[in-house]
Amino acid sequence: MTQQPLLTLQNVGKVFGPVTVIHDVTVSVYPGQVQVLLGENGAGKSTLIKMMAGVYQPDSGHIVVDGRTVTLPNTRAAEALGIATIHQELNLVATMSIAENVMLGRMPTRHGLVDRRALRQQARAALALIGLDIDVDILVGELGIARQQLVEIAKALSINARILILDEPTAALTRHETENLFAVMADLRQRGVGMLFISHHLDEIAEVGDTVTVLRDGEFIAEVPASTSEDELVKLMVGRGIEDQFPRVPENLSQAAEVLIVENLTSTGLFSDISFTVKAGEVLGIAGLVGAGRTELIRAIAGADRYASGTVAVRGQHLPKGSIKAAIAAGIGHVPEDRKGQGLVLDASVNNNLGYATLASTAKLGLVDFAGQRSRATAVAKRLRIRMHTIDQPIGALSGGNQQKAVFGRWIIAASTILLLDEPTRGVDVGAKVEIYELMNTITAAGGAILMVSSELPEILGMSDRILVMRDGRIAGELSAAEATQDAVMTLAARDVDETHEQR
Amino acid sequence: MSTTTLPTPRRGIDYKKFLANNGALVGLVVLCLALFIATPDFLTGPNLLNIGIQVSTVAVLAFGMTFVIVAGGIDLSVGSVAALSAMSSGWMFASAGLPGWLALVGGLVVGALAGVINGLANAYGKLPSFIATLAMLSVARGLTLVISDGRPIKTAPEVSFLGGNLGPVPMPIVILVIAALAASFVLNRTVIGRSMYAVGGNAEAARLSGLPVKRILVTVFALAGLFAALAGLLLAGRLDSAQPQAAAGYELDAIAAVVIGGASLSGGLGRISGTLVGALVLVVIRNGLNLLNVTSFWQQVVIGLVIALAVGIDVLRRKSRNS
């Protein structure tokens, strides 16, 4: 690595009030290389990225670009030096066309009017940089996340970005889309673009990365080659070994009662003729590609959406269609896939968020039981080890893992016995993931049942006692924990899926 | 391990935050001090009672508006609904010959019903609250004119009593205090009140947690209608008659009071005490400008600037919360 780095953060530090969030970290991005930034939520990754992007200025140390020390007072200065960030939340205007988005802020004009022909041409040229051949008149909002991401990358490259910062770009992508992205990254590497890559998926690191910088609590821990084993990476990241990433302890189900029985459940255009049962103490995993109808199925069972026909029964009692209230009363708790959009009221306190499901049931004469609510919330926050300042803190200020634990906590307070989990560990770091898995064990050990939808195959394979695979709204097959492998699941999930289905 | 706390950035004493959270109250105090210095007419018994009476209508309307804004909506119809309620009450007494107390209750019921219709249109009809209540603004004002044929109607003595005095204290101030306590109680103590914050903060999360979002929304608008009716009756009581153009444009004062009081138009935030302070700011400014002989034309300019300032603070507050 004798090459000169494109960008170096040299011994940088950052302090917010009394708290040091970054202490003496050095990280470099080299041309044609993918530098991975690895660490748990709160380790300081995003602070470092923001320094590179000109959002934050380091309090100590300095930033070196092309061998020259620079200051980046704002994002414009960073862009001028060729540094572009692809955020998880994309900076695109959904109601404008691809071409307009790519050329936003620098639209070609003729006589003061937008020159549509030049606009399309230049946008096409930008997209060609990453080999994306697509109609540039399509509105960005009509594209899937994966395509939107590529549009954003093309936009960055067309403004001569040489350093791409990719903040968890794969979090919302399917396996197939991720591979597409990696192919684009490999191509960019060939052309000398330096990349900084962040991901919670450890298996992606060896696949796409060159070197890994590990951070813990704002400090530099190690720089290791990307080929380092996952166990080793976890140990570096968490500071201790995690013996088992998927600590599932199966219950003996031979005598267990079937607590959730779903029969012939059909919702026109979403899923059809779904039948299965879940026993007390069991974790039933639902695998499948995005769009296979898994989330829709779970939402129907939870009462969040209506369905056309079929029945859902809990302990022998049929639930009415589309009634969340009845589902909750029957013991169902729903952990939705989009924690921020559907799970939590981000501006409200941890205490309030923990109590929404039990607000009415614990009230006396319509008056809120504040004291009881607070003590229940405090107890469950302690039990689930939700890390926070105080219970009155807005929940939006907590890390993803702690937010997710709070969604679980809501249903624990409600004494739910059947949990419907939709992507339960999305955007959650390794340490908190294991805590959530252990929580699942505790729930099933107490006789609870869990239905889990996940796009992370290792999670499905590692935590389920039994796996249903969905394809195009139907159950394509069922696998026991023993016979389930990635290949077996993917064969069932992807059989004769035409590509276009997933592409847009 | 179980009590580990996560450090988050903090910068000493946060003046910005303090000012942002109590900006309206600080503003009100400064305003009163300035007026006290500027004119001897400000801090006199009659003037303060006058302020109290004037604030009662705005504040009662704004209390109802607070429910709606906390729940993430907006109600443009409260001025018209206030007029319709008062006019209906007058009609029930004068034309239908109902006893006065029943006409009073009837007026309140009309207001609540108009609110229920707003709520149904919003929650079940899927109309944005802005549109649903914009329609009601027109419909309610139109019905008021239809009922009255464009002429004032004399109110029942029970309604006029609301505009009178209880010993030395004007009734509107008594009603104001009762309404504030009631609204505050509903918003802070009851399940439905706390649910409003959840619905305004994130309606989908509230729904998936089992809160009856649609019913909550209907209740919210019904309360706004009820409080609007009360404000309308207060106004009519003072004049001993329901006026067809009463309370026109008051919805904007109510919204301004709520926003100045620290509520966020994106929902999930707001307090009755804040709204009361917001209403006082509006009324004291008008009163002060009157005492200083500033024309009503300039008053409108000043009020507009105050609203812009208050919303600016709202933006600032959200920024400081997000960073």
Side-chain angles (χ1 to χ4, degrees), chain A residues 256-261 277-281 313-316 417-418 447-450:
Chain A
E258 294 177 335
V259 287
L260 174 66
I261 301 178
T277 64
V278 190
K279 288 181 172 177
V314 172
R315 293 188 184 82
T417 51
I418 300 171
I450 290 178

Side-chain angles (χ1 to χ4, degrees), chain B residues 110-201:
Chain B
V110 167
L113 275 180
V116 166
I117 293 169
N118 279 335
L120 291 174
N122 177 227
Y124 294 89
K126 307 281 179 210
L127 288 183
S129 59
F130 189 99
I131 303 298
T133 60
L134 183 63
M136 181 58 79
L137 167 104
S138 181
V139 169
R141 182 66 64 186
L143 287 177
T144 309
L145 292 166
V146 169
I147 294 171
S148 64
D149 201 18
R151 284 187 292 269
I153 296 185
K154 196 173 160 35
T155 50
E158 282 81 355
V159 172
S160 297
F161 171 70
L162 294 181
N165 285 298
L166 192 71
V169 187
M171 267 308 279
I173 296 180
V174 176
I175 301 283
L176 166 69
V177 171
I178 295 172
L181 291 175
S184 182
F185 179 81
V186 169
L187 207 48
N188 292 321
R189 298 258 135 209
T190 64
V191 170
I192 189 102
R194 300 316 294 173
S195 303
M196 291 174 197
Y197 287 94
V199 170

Side-chain angles (χ1 to χ4, degrees), chain A residues 193-252:
Chain A
V193 176
M195 283 167 276
L196 188 86
F197 179 77
I198 293 180
S199 173
H200 281 302
H201 300 276
L202 293 173
D203 53 331
E204 293 172 0
I205 290 172
E207 200 176 336
V208 76
D210 291 300
T211 29
V212 183
T213 301
V214 185
L215 300 172
R216 192 196 311 147
D217 299 330
E219 301 205 28
F220 174 86
I221 297 299
E223 184 168 282
V224 293
S227 52
T228 309
S229 76
E230 288 184 26
D231 287 349
E232 186 60 29
L233 289 175
V234 168
K235 200 183 281 178
L236 286 170
M237 188 163 66
V238 189
R240 61 189 154 90
I242 288 184
E243 295 73 44
D244 195 351
Q245 275 196 55
F246 302 104
R248 174 68 189 146
V249 183
E251 302 298 315
N252 179 0

Side-chain angles (χ1 to χ4, degrees), chain B:
Chain B
M1 186 66 190
S2 58
T3 52
T4 321
T5 54
L6 192 82
T8 58
R10 242 185 211 191
R11 282 155 280 161
I13 301 169
D14 208 330
Y15 294 104
K16 244 200 234 168
K17 207 164 199 171
F18 176 81
L19 282 181
N21 285 336
N22 297 282
L25 189 58
V26 174
L28 181 63
V29 170
V30 170
L31 196 60
C32 289
L33 275 176
L35 286 173
F36 171 64
I37 294 166
T39 163
D41 300 328
F42 179 69
L43 201 65
T44 63
N47 190 49
L48 292 185
L49 286 182
N50 185 26
I51 288 176
I53 292 171
Q54 284 181 1
V55 88
S56 62
T57 321
V58 179
V60 169
L61 272 181
F63 293 156
M65 186 70 77
T66 307
F67 297 119
V68 180
I69 287 179
V70 162
I74 192 97
D75 189 343
L76 299 178
S77 69
V78 290
S80 295
V81 169
L84 176 63
S85 305
M87 194 58 77
S88 306
S89 173
W91 179 85
M92 285 176 210
F93 176 72
S95 299
L98 293 184
W101 66 269
L102 198 56
L104 194 159
V105 173
L108 294 175
V109 169
V110 167
L113 275 180
V116 166
I117 293 169
N118 279 335
L120 291 174
N122 177 227
Y124 294 89
K126 307 281 179 210
L127 288 183
S129 59
F130 189 99
I131 303 298
T133 60
L134 183 63
M136 181 58 79
L137 167 104
S138 181
V139 169
R141 182 66 64 186
L143 287 177
T144 309
L145 292 166
V146 169
I147 294 171
S148 64
D149 201 18
R151 284 187 292 269
I153 296 185
K154 196 173 160 35
T155 50
E158 282 81 355
V159 172
S160 297
F161 171 70
L162 294 181
N165 285 298
L166 192 71
V169 187
M171 267 308 279
I173 296 180
V174 176
I175 301 283
L176 166 69
V177 171
I178 295 172
L181 291 175
S184 182
F185 179 81
V186 169
L187 207 48
N188 292 321
R189 298 258 135 209
T190 64
V191 170
I192 189 102
R194 300 316 294 173
S195 303
M196 291 174 197
Y197 287 94
V199 170
N202 185 342
E204 183 63 4
R207 189 174 85 91
L208 292 182
S209 301
L211 298 180
V213 173
K214 288 178 179 171
R215 250 190 298 153
I216 291 165
L217 284 174
V218 173
T219 311
V220 160
F221 282 99
L223 282 170
L226 181 65
F227 277 76
L230 184 58
L233 292 174
L234 281 178
L235 207 53
R238 257 160 61 198
L239 303 169
D240 288 323
S241 65
Q243 303 282 335
Q245 288 301 343
Y250 278 32
E251 55 277 350
L252 299 182
D253 272 4
I255 294 169
V258 176
V259 172
I260 293 171
S264 161
L265 280 183
S266 50
L269 278 177
R271 287 175 302 184
I272 292 298
S273 57
T275 295
L276 180 57
V277 171
L280 277 166
V281 167
L282 284 180
V283 170
V284 169
I285 287 176
R286 279 205 189 107
N287 175 266
L289 294 174
N290 273 337
L291 293 179
L292 298 172
N293 290 320
V294 178
T295 68
S296 64
F297 302 159
W298 276 109
Q299 287 184 22
Q300 294 191 29
V301 175
V302 173
I303 296 283
L305 293 176
V306 167
I307 293 170
L309 184 75
V311 176
I313 291 171
D314 183 46
V315 172
L316 188 78
R317 176 180 47 211
R318 233 172 302 166
K319 237 176 149 181
S320 76
R321 227 170 357 121
N322 288 347
S323 67

